[in-house]
Amino acid sequence: MKTLSLAISDFAVPSPRSGSIEAYSGYGSLPNLGVEIHQEIQTRRQKEHPGYQAEKWVTHTFTQEKFKIQVNGRCDGFSYGPPAWIEEIKSAHNAQELLKALAANPDHPYRLQLRTYGYIHYRLHREEPQLNLLIVSARDRSEIDFPLELDVAGYESWLKRRLSELADEGKMFEALKKRRRKLAQEFTFPFSEPRQGQIELMRTVEENLNKNTRQLLQAPTGLGKTAGILFPALKEALGRGQKVIYLTPKNSQHAVAEDAVKRLQESGSKIRSATIQAKAKICLKDQVLCNPEYCEYARDHYSKVAEKQLVEKVAVKKNQSTLALQKIARQHQVCPFELQMQSLHRADVVIADYNYVFSPRNSLGRLTYNGFEKKSAPNLVVDEAHNLPARAAEYFSASLSSAKLREIQKGLQHLPPELYSQAQDLVHDALDFIDSANPSPRPALVEVEAERFLKLSARAGELFARYMESGGEAARENDGVVDLQNLFSDFAQALENRNEDFFCTHTPGPRGGNLRITCCDASPWLKESYTAFANVVTFSATLKPFEYYTRLLGFADGPHLTAEFSSPFPREHRKVLLIPQVSTKYSDREANYSKIADGIQRIVQIRPGNYFVFFPSFEFLGRVSSLLSLPQFKILAQTREMKRPEIADYIEILKQRAQPTLILAVQGGVFAEGVDYPGEMLIGAIIVGPALPTFDFERECLRAHYEKKHGEEHGFDYAYTYPAMAKVVQSAGRVIRSHHDRGLIVLMDRRFLQSNYVKSMPADWVGDEPLQHVSSSLLKDIQKFWDDNASS
Ligand code: SF4
């Protein structure tokens, strides 16, 4: 018999699933507040009733057809009788609203959960226990008892439906597993001739799967790394009846993975894929406010989905597209985002943003949900993994700034007078809270008064609950109350997570201060997230030095493999040159602008064509731009707030090649990562200096942290050099994208010769000797390179 083991919260749900999406309906409270309330009450109860047990472990196994269904949970409070007494504590900002919902719905999950604990006790002891739901207002801590009757016959009628539903689900997962195993047997690599290096990459991935080894792979562009990694990872997962979760840092980078999946499908594989669209992008309303009062698609979503069997309809699609999901959602008046999330378990490849696995508010459980299968898990593939350490650290950081609060104030005008004054008082007190953190006019490390903040946060929650009570369906775009609630809850979450890898700063500014909790290292959370997967493969063209990424990606404490793969293209197709006569250090810039402009002009005129010059900042770009004189060239410059159509126009100009074009751009920007310029679209990239992060108080604190944690010699490199070099390598990586490409990579700055900068460069750029790329007759060398490649 197969065993399905599930948490009580997954077990005790209405059957068939019904109801609305209710994220903003006043249920629940901030997680930190909920825990605190639970503990307070449990401690009190223990004093009042000596036999009281808090967090009592409960488990029971039901049998249904060929399945054993094991339910596990911890009830908040338990006392032996007779009769025994079982209690669940639920805190809510809007306790009355929760009470109303509980009274109206006998199958409310909270009621079913408590009755399940009661029923398990009844089965074990043949005694009907007393059941109590204790509703606690997070607003004023008032308590309301909501006693329940077990009603054995009624419960068993629900149980019968639920067990049968779970058995059906078990059979569906078995069929899914069987289907995937069959797919694995027929799975073939989509290219008849894998590229040079790609075979080695595939072999490395394959050989290290199922060895409890995390993989960190650096492979250059052009190797076909997406297909080379996805193929073995997926084949192995399918062989176990599992799927692959493929993550990218930005939604715009999903296309590469989608393309690889398409190739696999075109070569005959019947794999199904789903790309998770961001909620804001797929939402059918103007504002993402998921509650049944505001959104008609949230209303009775689960009932409609179950009744019309929409999951079954969506899940069988080869590729789930936004438009198709929105069409079905409109037709049946359900939420397209939630429908998509409900259908994910049947996709063989799920392509998603990092958020869905690594953010503290992730959907990891839904992505990895396996039904009965507890012994094996999906594989995780992380693309452009050099972005992950900083992205993950940002998830756990938060800011509370006067400027933001003032902006939010503008969205409070529509409130009725009483709520308006409550909101204004809160903003006023929060501004005071920020200012009092640092009496000095300079940025400083500060201690956040946690207790004082949590009181403010509770007031934000209370304001939000009152707002919803008073007709929050009027919630609108840029709604100040919603923004306040989110701001306070993010800061409370960061406060809660703080450990020795965090620091808190206050930075005064012309419009008031900014209080920021910074997470320097999110690797413990990353590590925790990896445990939901059987194998983890991370890759990028920029993962050196390995030691740095290994630590910050959370691989350092366990078995892991690092490997670097070389470019598959002949070295003579690319010329790497270092110009150490230039210095882009802040103090040297003024003296170097004209030298840089002159160097660019000379280099690009040797062979007119399309070039990028990647600068460390827009300011730098502007200064050099004003000195350039290249009548033969069209000169274009990236701007700070460039919109998509403009970006597309620039790329089209490169594609058309009507005139030699020089695009001045910034490292780390839209033109430097995740874009391809094949063939003659681009024949050279000039990288002007490493784009070191700004030397400000915050960054210096980060450096101090790394010095303390990883050794004095690593502080600067961790905080400045390595993040900057990731951008340099990415920018340079735009040049050679295929076997037919020829191109120049010119690095301008003497720091590129220093060992800490060289450490980050791909081995086939510099080898052991960067000096070989310093030319005493630079222009002649470039001319020779183009002459040698003229006929190719
Ligand atoms: S349609 Fe938009 S607002 Fe409505 S439930 Fe879905 S995501 Fe939320």
Side-chain angles (χ1 to χ4, degrees):
M1 264 188 153
K2 289 226 150 142
T3 301
L4 161 65
S5 170
L6 71 172
I8 198 148
S9 52
D10 294 326
F11 178 75
V13 295
S15 174
R17 187 144 189 205
S18 59
S20 304
I21 299 169
E22 304 195 55
Y24 280 128
S25 291
Y27 289 77
S29 55
L30 298 177
N32 53 337
L33 204 56
V35 172
E36 195 192 311
I37 290 172
H38 268 62
Q39 286 168 350
E40 252 177 51
I41 293 168
Q42 287 167 330
T43 313
R44 195 184 75 214
R45 291 269 197 251
Q46 272 159 343
K47 281 186 197 146
E48 289 166 358
H49 309 283
Y52 180 91
Q53 296 174 42
E55 304 294 325
K56 185 176 189 294
W57 174 249
V58 176
T59 182
H60 188 74
T61 303
F62 299 97
T63 305
Q64 178 76 18
E65 300 172 43
K66 55 180 180 171
F67 300 108
K68 284 184 172 181
I69 297 172
Q70 187 189 53
V71 184
N72 308 304
R74 284 179 193 283
C75 64
D76 291 331
F78 177 86
S79 280
Y80 280 106
W85 180 72
I86 302 175
E87 182 173 68
E88 275 294 284
I89 304 163
K90 300 291 173 193
S91 53
H93 283 305
N94 190 341
Q96 289 304 327
E97 194 64 26
L98 175 55
L99 266 180
K100 248 197 277 172
L102 285 167
N105 181 7
D107 276 352
H108 190 288
Y110 291 173
R111 291 178 67 151
L112 285 171
Q113 196 177 327
L114 179 59
R115 288 171 72 206
T116 301
Y117 286 131
Y119 183 73
I120 292 173
H121 179 87
Y122 167 78
R123 288 281 291 257
L124 293 175
H125 304 279
R126 286 290 143 197
E127 173 201 56
E128 281 197 35
Q130 284 186 345
L131 305 176
N132 189 44
L133 263 175
L134 183 71
I135 315 299
V136 187
S137 164
R139 209 187 285 171
D140 55 12
R141 306 283 167 113
S142 59
E143 296 172 12
I144 308 160
D145 285 319
F146 189 86
L148 285 183
E149 222 186 288
L150 175 57
D151 173 20
V152 174
Y155 182 85
E156 284 180 340
S157 137
W158 167 84
L159 182 67
K160 197 171 154 203
R161 290 196 303 278
R162 182 67 183 131
L163 291 177
S164 146
E165 195 176 67
L166 284 165
D168 286 349
E169 191 181 299
K171 284 181 239 165
M172 184 275 291
F173 273 107
E174 277 185 344
L176 188 61
K177 201 168 165 183
K178 211 163 136 195
R179 180 187 150 271
R180 284 177 177 157
R181 284 187 164 153
K182 191 158 173 276
L183 285 177
Q185 282 164 10
E186 299 159 354
F187 207 47
T188 49
F189 192 64
F191 303 99
S192 51
E193 284 180 38
R195 293 181 202 176
Q196 194 189 340
Q198 202 177 30
I199 299 175
E200 199 193 332
L201 174 68
M202 287 195 287
R203 198 175 297 137
T204 305
V205 174
E206 195 183 338
E207 283 173 2
N208 288 286
L209 292 170
N210 288 329
K211 286 186 180 166
N212 189 27
T213 301
R214 313 266 188 245
Q215 302 189 40
L216 189 120
L217 311 172
Q218 170 158 316
T221 314
L223 193 75
K225 53 183 184 289
T226 306
I229 288 169
L230 181 60
F231 179 75
L234 184 55
K235 190 169 169 101
E236 190 280 335
L238 292 172
R240 290 183 288 112
Q242 283 295 335
K243 63 186 165 206
V244 162
I245 310 295
Y246 188 106
L247 301 181
T248 71
K250 291 185 202 151
N251 286 329
S252 59
Q253 287 160 341
H254 289 160
V256 185
E258 286 168 348
D259 196 46
V261 169
K262 213 164 127 208
R263 300 261 181 170
L264 289 166
Q265 289 168 335
E266 282 167 359
S267 70
S269 177
K270 293 200 169 43
I271 52 166
R272 296 192 288 238
S273 89
T275 301
I276 305 184
Q277 305 298 337
K279 204 184 225 184
K281 290 228 168 90
I282 200 172
C283 176
L284 297 171
K285 300 287 285 182
D286 295 338
Q287 168 95 328
V288 182
L289 267 176
C290 310
N291 69 68
E293 284 78 34
Y294 170 77
C295 173
E296 63 274 31
Y297 304 100
R299 209 170 302 142
D300 296 324
H301 167 93
Y302 297 109
S303 317
K304 289 184 261 185
V305 166
E307 192 188 320
K308 311 270 183 212
Q309 301 197 322
L310 297 184
V311 168
E312 288 70 16
K313 281 190 185 136
V314 169
V316 292
K317 295 208 176 302
K318 201 160 87 171
N319 300 304
Q320 291 177 18
S321 78
T322 308
L323 283 180
L325 276 161
Q326 285 179 324
K327 193 172 163 206
I328 296 178
R330 270 205 191 90
Q331 193 184 346
H332 299 282
Q333 294 281 292
V334 297
C335 168
F337 180 79
E338 187 58 20
L339 176 59
Q340 170 181 244
M341 296 305 284
Q342 286 176 271
S343 316
L344 288 180
H345 58 277
R346 300 212 204 165
D348 306 306
V349 182
V350 176
I351 301 164
D353 184 279
Y354 287 174
N355 294 347
Y356 290 92
V357 168
F358 298 120
S359 137
R361 295 189 176 136
N362 64 51
S363 314
L364 186 55
R366 299 175 80 178
L367 256 68
T368 54
Y369 184 59
N370 272 328
F372 277 70
E373 192 55 79
K374 291 289 160 202
K375 287 196 200 97
S376 79
N379 286 340
L380 177 70
V381 172
V382 184
D383 194 357
E384 303 284 3
H386 64 280
N387 289 294
L388 185 53
R391 261 295 278 286
E394 204 45 46
Y395 291 143
F396 293 91
S397 305
S399 290
L400 191 65
S401 76
S402 307
K404 180 74 189 167
L405 283 166
R406 294 217 168 84
E407 193 190 309
I408 288 177
Q409 262 179 324
K410 292 182 202 151
L412 299 173
Q413 311 294 343
H414 64 290
L415 293 179
E418 200 201 330
L419 285 180
Y420 180 75
S421 94
Q422 197 184 337
Q424 289 293 0
D425 284 352
L426 176 61
V427 171
H428 185 263
D429 291 350
L431 288 169
D432 257 8
F433 175 73
I434 297 170
D435 289 343
S436 63
N438 174 21
S440 136
R442 280 179 295 281
L445 277 171
V446 294
E447 268 306 319
V448 177
E449 289 178 69
E451 222 168 285
R452 189 171 155 202
F453 175 76
L454 288 178
K455 279 186 188 149
L456 290 173
S457 179
R459 279 169 60 190
E462 183 188 334
L463 172 72
F464 180 77
R466 288 226 165 108
Y467 178 54
M468 295 310 285
E469 238 171 11
S470 71
E473 67 270 23
R476 57 200 60 201
E477 215 167 327
N478 302 325
D479 194 303
V481 182
V482 176
D483 290 348
L484 264 184
Q485 162 78 356
N486 289 339
L487 184 74
F488 278 84
S489 116
D490 287 348
F491 201 79
Q493 188 70 60
L495 209 52
E496 170 101 348
N497 287 330
R498 263 178 326 162
N499 59 24
E500 68 281 3
D501 284 322
F502 284 69
F503 61 80
C504 185
T505 51
H506 177 277
T507 309
R511 296 193 58 219
N514 181 22
L515 205 52
R516 181 174 159 83
I517 299 172
T518 300
C519 168
C520 311
D521 180 357
S523 60
W525 286 283
L526 294 179
K527 239 160 63 179
E528 179 65 31
S529 305
Y530 301 145
T531 58
F533 299 93
N535 293 287
V536 178
V537 184
T538 60
F539 72 104
S540 163
T542 330
L543 283 174
K544 284 171 73 183
F546 285 135
E547 161 220 271
Y548 165 73
Y549 286 101
T550 301
R551 280 182 178 166
L552 293 193
L553 283 170
F555 289 175
D557 303 338
H560 62 273
L561 166 101
T562 57
E564 179 176 5
F565 297 85
S566 303
S567 170
F569 310 123
R571 282 199 182 194
E572 55 278 16
H573 285 190
R574 184 195 57 200
K575 181 100 188 139
V576 180
L577 284 161
L578 277 164
I579 305 185
Q581 293 82 357
V582 166
S583 169
T584 64
K585 275 191 172 170
Y586 197 75
S587 51
D588 298 337
R589 284 186 182 177
E590 207 60 53
N592 278 269
Y593 288 133
S594 58
K595 216 194 271 183
I596 293 165
D598 185 54
I600 294 169
Q601 284 167 186
R602 283 165 185 259
I603 291 167
V604 301
Q605 286 184 105
I606 297 174
R607 187 185 166 205
N610 292 341
Y611 292 85
F612 266 105
V613 184
F614 290 108
F615 291 92
S617 67
F618 281 102
E619 201 199 336
F620 205 132
L621 182 158
R623 293 297 300 272
V624 175
S625 166
S626 64
L627 300 170
L628 286 173
S629 168
L630 283 163
Q632 219 185 329
F633 279 76
K634 182 192 266 294
I635 300 182
L636 301 169
Q638 182 184 351
T639 54
R640 278 178 211 273
E641 306 281 328
M642 245 175 140
K643 300 270 179 307
R644 271 169 188 269
E646 255 183 300
I647 297 167
D649 284 351
Y650 277 26
I651 293 175
E652 190 54 32
I653 289 169
L654 293 180
K655 209 180 270 175
Q656 294 301 327
R657 294 199 294 127
Q659 186 186 352
T661 300
L662 183 69
I663 301 188
L664 311 178
V666 290
Q667 294 167 42
V670 285
F671 293 108
E673 292 196 28
V675 209
D676 273 350
Y677 310 104
E680 296 273 314
M681 260 182 96
L682 184 67
I683 61 166
I686 300 171
I687 322 291
V688 182
L692 295 186
T694 314
F695 285 79
D696 56 16
F697 183 72
E698 177 83 13
R699 190 51 63 169
E700 282 295 285
C701 291
L702 205 58
R703 173 193 12 200
H705 174 84
Y706 290 137
E707 276 180 6
K708 203 166 147 211
K709 186 164 179 185
H710 301 295
E712 215 168 307
E713 69 281 17
H714 293 305
F716 186 85
D717 290 338
Y718 275 40
Y720 294 95
T721 316
Y722 302 150
M725 282 307 290
K727 292 182 183 171
V728 168
V729 179
Q730 284 290 330
S731 302
R734 301 308 99 201
V735 182
I736 302 286
R737 318 291 289 181
S738 80
H739 199 80
H740 307 289
D741 294 5
R742 307 285 188 278
L744 272 184
I745 294 170
V746 181
L747 306 173
M748 283 188 174
D749 194 301
R750 66 181 60 125
R751 281 174 289 183
F752 288 129
L753 283 174
Q754 290 173 12
S755 64
N756 51 342
Y757 288 83
V758 173
K759 261 187 195 176
S760 299
M761 295 181 189
D764 59 6
W765 272 24
V766 284
D768 294 331
E769 187 39 89
L771 272 176
Q772 64 175 304
H773 297 285
V774 177
S775 170
S776 53
S777 48
L778 182 91
L779 301 179
K780 271 193 198 154
D781 278 1
I782 296 176
Q783 182 68 61
K784 182 168 180 321
F785 169 72
W786 287 126
D787 290 346
D788 291 348
N789 282 287
S791 54
S792 359

